[in-house]
């Protein structure tokens, strides 16, 4: 029995195996990647002669803006600052220049006691919530004529000490972002060995880097390579930037793979011009901006009676809309933020007074009568027990139809808060479902008093890796992490009837028409056969933010939005233009053949040609219906239908006609109109 213990190397004793199991169960998991947390980012950009050198334009880089590496890094910070104001307005961001002749650190000056605390460190933008003025100032700096010649970019005559730079960053984080969960230091430099001849300074820098990690600050290196010099991280930076496990999707970006060779330590040369550097920096940074959204925490996952583990739920996908943060009152000298409140008053004009919450009862209409409930009764009606994810059983994945996915899924992540060992059980369940291609059918109550739903517990469908890009993390094709997902399923009440069909047997395209369409589908297939949402920003949302940004920063108003969802018609015509024309000919031929074989068939949506007599009888029938309907909308008939609870059988037009005669509002849906008529009849 001892040799069969899981997670135990052979040759160990049973007791040692059990102790290892206990250690594994008590191991905490890192959940920071799935929480909505405030983020603080500090750019530390080196200033030296090579960073200020403008690269020579080459024929290969037609779109190059010939920016120096320093200016490209500042442009990157500028664009990220623009993004942060809109996407994450509560996050902090700052810019620290090091290696400058000038020094600036808060209220210090050269006459301060003891001189500069951090010489050759210039705090260009303090670590704070970005404001429009900060963005404008940075924009003026990077868009100025020959910005590299600005006074603040004058390099120092003596080399700057890296341990001093890291200690300066440490002080900034402690003063401005002491309690932040996410704190990151972005170092942009082309110097791969700043302390090649000074072992003491090198050792001090290593200690300062360790202090930052102990503080919870993540250091991320953005090294710059040129055609003349390949950046080698082994010389110095491997001791400063800690490498993370490659299986962690949220690991530190240490030498991004797009610009690193197979060895992993030297950067490939040739990517030194400003525009390509800016694009690589922005693509690396932008991928870390959006946080996941927490939905619930510590809900028990009940696998069997008295067998539970605790999990947390997160929304990996959420529809984004432009959000108005506040209302503004413009009636005074200065615009003021309006604080709104809601007050309910009695409907009777003779008693227009605020109604207390205790006086209000909720009512539902049933059979023409109002059935009222107190708050306690409503709570009891909505109470289906405490929050739980209860596994009812397991079924093959083939039994889960595609149409059953009616809402966005919830990602489950194990938690050790309530039940120790949840991570191990979660992992075993995930592997079993993946191996046998099963899904769990669950009863899901996410929160107290929430409506219960039936949900399918599905493991992440791992994307296939390749030799160039192995999928060690097991993420899906769309980037979803490895784990379990809850997909809400429809109840019988949610399924709507199919629309009526004019054909008893569904029409099927002939084989030759299908064969003609096959090459078109093959040529227009998406890259890798998947839809990648990261490549298609919401054009409506981006247009809203672009206008908002232009107004806040006094930029020019753009004329039209950038819409990446517009099909590339020229490429489509080039790829399948002739095939599409040929398919149209086959379709026309198949349609004529169908008409010949089915002469009595009526195309869907068209009208039969009628004779004058038929048209006259149809018109008479229409008039008769209208007359009958008009007669049925008088008050007496309406009251009879109301007493029988059959008001909803009338059409919307008939209801509106009656409302018009009685001056009853007709806004809203049919149910709203029926409710207003019922209230009018009750008060009559």
């Amino acid at each position: 029995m001892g040799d069969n213990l899981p997670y135990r190397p052979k040759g160990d004793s049973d007791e040692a195996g059990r102790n290892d199991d206990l250690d594994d169960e008590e191991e905490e998991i890192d959940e920071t990647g799935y929480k909505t947390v405030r983020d603080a980012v500090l750019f530390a950009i080196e200033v030296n002669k090579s960073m200020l050198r403008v690269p020579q334009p080459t024929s290969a880089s037609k779109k190059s803006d010939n920016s120096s590496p320093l200016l490209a890094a500042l442009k990157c910070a500028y664009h990220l600052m623009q993004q942060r104001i809109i996407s994450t307005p509560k996050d902090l961001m700052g810019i620290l220049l090091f290696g400058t002749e000038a020094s600036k650190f808060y209220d210090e000056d050269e006459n301060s006691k003891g001189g500069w605390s951090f010489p050759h460190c210039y705090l260009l933008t303090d670590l704070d919530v970005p404001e429009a003025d900060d963005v404008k100032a940075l924009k003026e700096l990077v868009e100025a004529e020959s910005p590299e010649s600005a006074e603040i970019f004058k390099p120092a005559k003596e080399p700057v000490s890296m341990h001093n730079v890291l200690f300066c960053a440490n002080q900034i984080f402690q003063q401005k972002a002491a309690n932040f969960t996410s704190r990151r230091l972005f170092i942009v430099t082309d110097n791969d060995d700043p302390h090649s001849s000074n072992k003491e300074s090198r050792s001090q820098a290593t200690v300062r880097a360790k202090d930052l990690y102990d503080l919870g600050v993540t250091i991320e290196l953005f090294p710059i390579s040129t055609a003349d010099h390949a950046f080698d991280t082994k010389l110095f930076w491997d001791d400063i930037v800690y490498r993370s496990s490659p299986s962690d999707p949220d690991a530190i970006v240490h030498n991004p793979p797009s610009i690193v060779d197979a060895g992993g330590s030297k950067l490939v040369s040739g990517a030194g011009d400003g525009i390509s550097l800016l694009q690589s920096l922005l693509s690396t940074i932008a991928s870390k901006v959006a946080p996941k959204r927490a939905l619930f925490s510590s809900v028990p996952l009940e696998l069997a009676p008295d067998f539970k583990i605790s999990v947390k739920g997160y929304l990996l996908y959420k529809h984004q809309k432009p959000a108005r943060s506040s209302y503004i009152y413009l009636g005074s000298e200065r615009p003021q933020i309006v604080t709104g409140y809601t007050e309910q008053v009695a409907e009777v004009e003779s008693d227009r007074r605020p109604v207390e919450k205790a006086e209000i009862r909720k009512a539902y209409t049933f059979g023409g009568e109002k059935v009222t409930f107190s708050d306690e009764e409503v709570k009891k009606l909505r109470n289906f027990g405490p929050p739980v994810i209860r596994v009812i059983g397991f079924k093959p994945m083939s039994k889960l139809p595609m149409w059953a996915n009616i809402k966005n899924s919830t990602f489950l992540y194990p938690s050790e808060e309530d039940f120790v060992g949840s991570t191990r059980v979660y992992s075993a369940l995930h592997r079993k479902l993946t191996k046998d291609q099963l899904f769990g059918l669950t009863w899901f109550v996410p929160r107290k008093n929430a409506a219960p739903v039936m949900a399918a517990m599905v493991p992440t469908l791992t994307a296939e890796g390749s030799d160039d890009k192995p999928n060690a993390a097991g993420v899906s094709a769309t980037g979803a992490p490895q784990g379990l997902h809850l997909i809400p399923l429809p109840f019988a009440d949610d399924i709507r009837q199919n629309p009526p069909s004019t054909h008893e047997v569904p029409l099927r395209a002939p084989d030759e028409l299908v064969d003609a369409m096959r090459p078109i589908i093959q040529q227009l297939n998406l890259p890798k056969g998947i839809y990648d949402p990261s490549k298609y920003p919401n054009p409506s949302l981006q247009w809203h933010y672009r206008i908002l940004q232009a107004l806040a920063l006094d930029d020019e108003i753009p004329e039209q939005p950038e819409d990446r969802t517009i099909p590339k018609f020229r490429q489509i015509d080039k790829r399948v233009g002739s095939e599409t024309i040929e398919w149209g000919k086959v379709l026309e031929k198949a349609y004529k053949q169908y008409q010949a074989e089915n002469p009595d068939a009526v195309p869907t949506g068209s009208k039969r040609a009628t004779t004058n007599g038929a048209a006259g009888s149809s018109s008479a029938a229409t008039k008769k219906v209208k007359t009958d309907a008009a007669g049925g909308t008088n008050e007496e008939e309406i009251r009879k239908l109301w007493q029988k609870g059959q008001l909803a059988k009338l059409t919307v037009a008939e209801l509106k006609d009656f409302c018009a005669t009685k001056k009853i509002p007709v806004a809203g849906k049919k149910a709203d109109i029926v409710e207003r008529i019922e209230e009018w009849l009750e008060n009559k």
Side-chain angles (χ1 to χ4, degrees):
M1 291 292 291
D3 294 336
N4 295 327
L5 285 175
Y7 310 108
R8 175 195 156 191
K10 291 184 178 180
D12 290 354
S13 64
D14 292 354
E15 190 64 30
R18 294 189 183 96
N19 289 337
D20 290 343
D21 288 350
L22 291 175
D23 291 340
D24 289 341
E25 289 178 353
E26 294 174 359
E27 183 180 358
E28 294 185 358
I29 51 179
D30 182 17
E31 299 174 353
T32 55
Y34 303 102
K35 292 181 179 179
T36 304
V37 295
R38 293 184 66 186
D39 188 22
V41 174
L42 178 64
F43 275 83
I45 306 172
E46 184 170 10
V47 178
N48 55 37
K49 292 182 179 180
S50 57
M51 289 286 287
L52 290 169
R53 188 178 299 120
V54 178
Q56 296 296 325
T58 59
S59 57
S61 56
K62 296 180 180 179
K63 296 183 180 180
S64 174
D65 62 355
N66 296 329
S67 298
S68 64
L70 172 64
L71 188 59
L74 288 174
K75 284 183 179 180
C76 173
Y78 165 67
H79 287 294
L80 183 61
M81 194 176 287
Q82 285 181 319
Q83 294 175 8
R84 288 297 177 96
I85 289 180
I86 294 171
S87 61
T88 51
K90 295 183 179 180
D91 288 355
L92 308 187
M93 183 175 165
I95 301 175
L96 174 68
L97 304 178
F98 63 94
T100 57
E101 181 68 28
S103 301
K104 179 184 176 183
F105 187 76
Y106 294 118
D107 297 331
E108 291 185 0
D109 56 33
E110 56 185 357
N111 298 322
S112 300
K113 185 178 180 180
W116 294 103
S117 300
F118 306 103
H120 308 305
C121 293
Y122 193 94
L123 188 58
L124 182 64
T125 304
D126 193 11
L127 186 64
D128 206 341
V129 176
E131 296 182 355
D133 293 338
D134 299 330
V135 181
K136 289 179 183 178
L138 188 57
K139 180 184 178 183
E140 292 175 359
L141 184 63
V142 299
E143 293 184 355
E145 187 176 353
S146 63
E148 287 85 2
S149 60
E151 186 66 25
I152 61 174
F153 296 149
K154 184 178 180 181
K157 297 178 181 179
E158 55 188 18
V160 65
S161 175
M162 282 308 302
H163 80 271
N164 211 26
V165 175
L166 296 176
F167 187 47
C168 178
N170 190 323
Q171 294 298 308
I172 294 173
F173 279 117
Q174 287 194 359
Q175 291 189 34
K176 293 293 184 176
N179 298 322
F180 276 51
T181 307
S182 174
R183 289 174 287 187
R184 295 184 287 173
L185 176 63
F186 291 171
I187 300 179
V188 184
T189 180
D190 64 347
N191 189 354
D192 55 5
D193 194 7
H195 299 303
S196 57
S197 59
N198 193 332
K199 292 184 178 180
E200 183 180 356
S201 297
R202 182 190 185 97
S203 177
Q204 290 175 344
T206 305
V207 172
R208 292 299 184 192
K210 183 65 168 60
D211 292 342
L212 282 171
Y213 275 100
D214 292 341
L215 188 64
V217 177
T218 301
I219 299 178
E220 301 188 13
L221 177 66
F222 294 93
I224 296 174
S225 180
T226 62
D228 302 329
H229 177 71
F231 197 102
D232 191 353
T233 60
K234 292 180 180 178
L235 299 178
F236 173 77
W237 291 102
D238 280 355
D239 296 331
I240 303 298
V241 180
Y242 293 2
R243 291 182 180 270
S244 297
S245 171
S247 63
D248 184 1
D250 286 330
I252 303 167
V253 179
H254 181 71
N255 294 346
S258 58
I259 51 175
V260 179
D261 65 358
S265 63
K266 292 186 178 181
L267 273 81
V268 178
S269 60
D273 62 285
I275 191 67
S276 61
L277 173 64
L278 174 61
Q279 289 174 347
S280 64
L281 289 178
L282 274 178
S283 62
T284 307
I285 295 169
S287 63
K288 295 173 173 287
V289 171
K292 285 81 176 176
R293 286 167 171 78
L295 182 63
F296 57 82
S297 61
S298 298
V299 171
L301 173 58
E302 186 177 300
L303 301 172
D306 298 327
F307 180 24
K308 301 177 182 178
I309 64 174
S310 57
V311 294
K312 295 186 177 183
Y314 302 90
L315 291 181
L316 301 185
Y317 310 99
K318 190 175 187 301
H319 180 59
Q320 297 296 306
K321 301 177 182 178
R324 180 178 55 240
S325 59
S326 58
Y327 289 92
I328 303 297
Y329 175 66
L330 300 176
S332 58
E333 295 181 359
R334 297 182 59 186
Q336 298 179 3
I337 296 179
V338 178
T339 303
Y341 68 95
T342 303
E343 186 179 68
Q344 294 177 321
V345 296
E347 185 179 7
V348 183
E349 294 185 3
S350 60
D351 187 20
R352 288 286 186 182
R353 61 180 180 83
V355 180
E356 300 294 334
K357 189 175 181 180
E359 301 178 78
I360 300 175
R361 293 174 65 90
K362 293 189 177 181
Y364 297 90
T365 303
F366 184 81
E369 296 183 1
K370 299 288 185 183
V371 183
T372 62
F373 298 90
S374 64
D375 288 343
E376 292 297 326
E377 291 172 334
V378 171
K379 289 180 180 179
K380 290 181 180 179
L381 285 174
R382 298 175 59 183
N383 184 16
F384 284 85
V388 68
I389 305 171
R390 183 175 294 115
V391 177
I392 300 174
F394 299 95
K395 287 182 175 292
M397 286 292 294
S398 58
K399 298 295 184 181
L400 185 63
M402 181 66 70
W403 56 262
N405 189 354
I406 59 174
K407 292 182 180 179
N408 56 314
S409 63
T410 302
F411 177 65
L412 300 182
Y413 202 76
S415 172
E416 300 285 327
E417 291 183 5
D418 297 332
F419 302 98
V420 177
S422 296
T423 305
R424 176 171 295 178
V425 176
Y426 177 94
S427 176
L429 176 63
H430 172 265
R431 283 185 293 174
K432 181 63 177 177
L433 294 179
T434 304
K435 180 181 178 181
D436 294 349
Q437 295 186 349
L438 300 173
F439 74 91
L441 187 62
T442 64
W443 170 264
F444 178 36
V445 182
R447 292 173 304 279
K448 187 178 180 181
N449 294 331
V453 296
M454 299 293 290
M457 186 167 57
V458 180
T460 301
L461 303 178
T462 305
E464 295 182 2
S466 61
D467 296 336
D468 298 335
K469 293 183 178 180
N471 189 6
V475 298
S476 70
T478 57
Q482 188 78 286
L484 299 174
H485 303 258
L486 277 184
I487 302 176
L489 302 177
F491 287 108
D493 313 76
D494 302 327
I495 301 176
R496 308 188 70 173
Q497 297 296 324
N498 293 330
S501 175
T502 57
H503 303 279
E504 295 181 0
V505 180
L507 290 178
R508 296 190 179 276
D511 292 340
E512 58 180 0
L513 192 61
V514 176
D515 294 339
M517 177 58 73
R518 185 171 287 109
I520 299 177
I521 299 299
Q522 292 174 346
Q523 290 294 327
L524 296 182
N525 200 5
L526 288 170
K528 300 180 182 179
I530 64 168
Y531 166 71
D532 185 1
S534 63
K535 294 183 178 180
Y536 302 99
N538 184 342
S540 173
L541 190 66
Q542 295 300 319
W543 179 241
H544 170 81
Y545 286 151
R546 184 67 186 89
I547 296 296
L548 197 64
Q549 174 183 313
L551 294 175
L553 303 180
D554 297 330
D555 290 342
E556 294 183 3
I557 304 296
E559 296 181 357
Q560 61 182 15
E562 180 184 0
D563 189 356
R564 296 186 183 179
T565 63
I566 297 177
K568 299 178 180 179
F569 298 108
R570 291 185 179 179
Q571 291 188 14
I572 293 175
D573 182 62
K574 185 178 180 180
R575 288 185 177 184
V576 296
S578 58
E579 288 86 349
T580 305
I581 295 174
E582 186 63 29
W583 181 83
K585 294 178 181 178
V586 177
L587 174 63
E588 184 69 21
K589 179 182 176 182
Y591 179 67
K592 290 181 179 179
Q593 182 179 352
Y594 171 77
Q595 282 186 321
E597 295 175 354
N598 302 273
D600 297 331
V602 181
T604 304
S606 63
K607 295 182 179 179
R608 288 181 181 270
T610 57
T611 61
N612 292 336
S617 62
S618 175
S619 176
T622 304
K623 290 180 180 178
K624 184 178 180 181
V625 170
K626 288 185 177 179
T627 304
D628 293 344
T633 55
N634 59 56
E635 183 178 341
E636 183 180 354
E637 294 294 329
I638 290 290
R639 186 172 291 277
K640 288 181 180 179
L641 291 173
W642 170 60
Q643 291 172 350
K644 296 178 181 179
Q646 298 178 351
L647 269 182
K649 289 187 176 182
L650 295 176
T651 64
V652 175
E654 292 170 343
L655 294 172
K656 287 186 176 181
D657 289 342
F658 177 77
C659 291
T661 60
K662 304 301 180 183
K663 297 182 179 181
I664 301 174
V666 294
K669 299 181 180 179
K670 182 178 180 180
D672 300 328
I673 300 175
V674 170
E675 187 174 354
R676 292 194 195 99
I677 294 176
E678 290 175 346
E679 291 177 356
W680 184 86
L681 292 171
E682 289 174 359
N683 299 327
K684 183 69 174 174

